[in-house]
Amino acid sequence: MKKVLLASTAALTIFSASSLQVSNVYALEKESITDTLLDVSDKVKDGATQLVNAVVATFKDIKGHWAESSILAAIKQGIVSGYPDGLFHPDNKVTRAEFLKLTVGSLGYEVGTTNGGTWYGPYVSTAKANNLYNESDFPSSDWSKPMTRLEMVHVAVRAIGKTAASDKEFMYIAVKNGLISGVGNGKLDPDGTTTRAQALTVIDRINKVRNGETLKVDAAALANAEKAMNAKTDFWGHVIRTTDLPKNAKNYPYILEEYPNEMYEMKPYQSIDTNSMQLSKNDIAYNYKPTLDLWKKTTEAYYGQILNVDYKTIDEKWATKAFSNANQSSRVMLADMKRYVEYVKSNKIVITGNLVAEPSMVMMSKRFGEYYIRVKFEFTLKNFNKYEGVMFDPFIGDHSIKFKKGTRYEGYADIPLTTNANDLDLKVGGLTSLFNFGSIVRVAK
């Protein structure tokens, strides 16, 4: 079977055997690579040290990177490549599909052909057939969604032949076996996204464990994983903390370990008049987990579109998918989204980002009959020609910060959830904004 090199932007780096020069060739990820394209691993296996040096010289952003050795190991295997701009971009996010493809390729499993389906279909099927994941490992089957650290842990633990009965146990096994380390002071950050560098580091560690190597363990992360195993958790398995509580802790039924006090203490959106603790006492929707799961999924799906646009790939499907998670009474919104798609193309806009909605922080405006869900988000405006209208958000232009190209920002906001029908299948409200009254936005720490 032909090996396929993963490149998030669907670019493949081809190496010439005779001159050891590096050139870029574009190809869609879903396309097969013909026999005329040379595989990096075929040359490195022959001890072509010059080739590895050429790779490092070409990908200037991996020299001295904390994951340099893991990146080089993946390049040697022929499972990953660079971008057409001559860089590796180790801090770009990896999707679920990409991580499964990397894992399957690294472990050497045979993969079938697409047969007209999605490019990732054969990799997903191969991963399932080899017990690298179960359907329960992922909240949805959206394979284009950025891979979270917890989802990556599920696959990594299964890849070394182990399994667990809960998310907390999966995380504990991964940390105990050295597959994953903490994010600063041993923080586990299960909802955090996965970068190319992190993904390749974990895959490198998977291979080492499978080969019988004992890996170094992050002691602080292991202590936190053990604590989480024994700690009281909420409906979603998130650890509840009982110390160092926010000043307004009484406004919430419980406080989670993973969120800072700043997120809890943020001033609610101006129309909110009922806090989470009040809702927890008598609100049917707040106390019904499937409803909160639906609201979380809808909010994250909407902003999964808004915070991830690329002028090279965007089309009207982006608008249709985004609008499917918005209040359907505003047909003007769909037309505006389609116009934004064309603007993204002409203005060469590239945005990457991620948003996590926290169901325990749902509040309400009884006066207007709207629920709000508090979110944690981050984004980077990677490219644009004109700043005006750079993001599909009604208030970004009014914010006190003029967001700089290439800088990562983070923050918290309250997102309205509304419906034009008498049911609890709420959608994101038409005037939703990450930059509205009370929101916190700043340069990422």
Side-chain angles (χ1 to χ4, degrees), residues 263-332:
M263 184 171 177
Y264 287 97
E265 293 172 351
M266 185 183 82
K267 188 174 182 178
Y269 183 72
Q270 55 193 358
S271 65
I272 292 174
D273 52 33
T274 308
N275 62 43
S276 303
M277 176 62 88
Q278 293 169 323
L279 290 176
S280 71
K281 293 178 178 178
N282 53 30
D283 188 83
I284 295 175
Y286 186 92
N287 289 286
Y288 188 52
K289 183 176 179 294
T291 296
L292 294 181
D293 285 338
L294 180 62
W295 294 355
K296 173 180 171 66
K297 179 181 177 181
T298 296
T299 306
E300 291 177 351
Y302 177 84
Y303 277 101
Q305 296 296 103
I306 302 301
L307 295 177
N308 291 278
V309 300
D310 190 328
Y311 71 93
K312 297 185 294 293
T313 58
I314 197 169
D315 56 27
E316 283 200 358
K317 291 180 182 177
W318 178 93
T320 303
K321 186 174 181 180
F323 184 67
S324 69
N325 294 289
N327 190 311
Q328 299 296 293
S329 64
S330 179
R331 306 305 297 183
V332 173

Side-chain angles (χ1 to χ4, degrees), residues 29 66 84 115 142 146 168 235 296 300 309 347 414:
E29 200 166 356
W66 65 267
N115 291 323
D142 184 357
K168 292 183 292 182
F235 289 129
K296 173 180 171 66
E300 291 177 351
V309 300
N347 198 22
D414 291 326

Side-chain angles (χ1 to χ4, degrees), residues 229-247:
M229 283 278 288
N230 301 312
K232 183 179 179 181
T233 59
D234 68 0
F235 289 129
W236 294 269
H238 296 177
V239 176
I240 296 173
R241 62 181 160 108
T242 56
T243 59
D244 187 29
L245 300 178
K247 298 174 183 177

Side-chain angles (χ1 to χ4, degrees), residues 379-395:
F379 69 90
T380 304
L381 303 178
K382 290 200 166 184
N383 193 70
F384 57 85
N385 290 334
K386 293 188 297 183
Y387 181 75
E388 181 182 2
V390 67
M391 184 185 293
F392 191 82
D393 186 292
F395 300 117

Side-chain angles (χ1 to χ4, degrees), residues 28-59:
L28 291 175
E29 200 166 356
K30 65 184 179 181
E31 293 177 346
S32 298
I33 301 176
T34 67
D35 293 325
T36 60
L37 301 186
L38 302 176
D39 191 328
V40 178
S41 59
D42 291 337
K43 295 171 185 54
V44 179
K45 286 175 185 174
D46 295 331
T49 305
Q50 282 182 284
L51 181 57
V52 178
N53 293 337
V55 170
V56 176
T58 301
F59 301 144

Side-chain angles (χ1 to χ4, degrees), residues 172 188 221-231:
Y172 174 77
L188 301 175
L222 183 60
N224 286 337
E226 288 176 339
K227 179 181 176 182
M229 283 278 288
N230 301 312

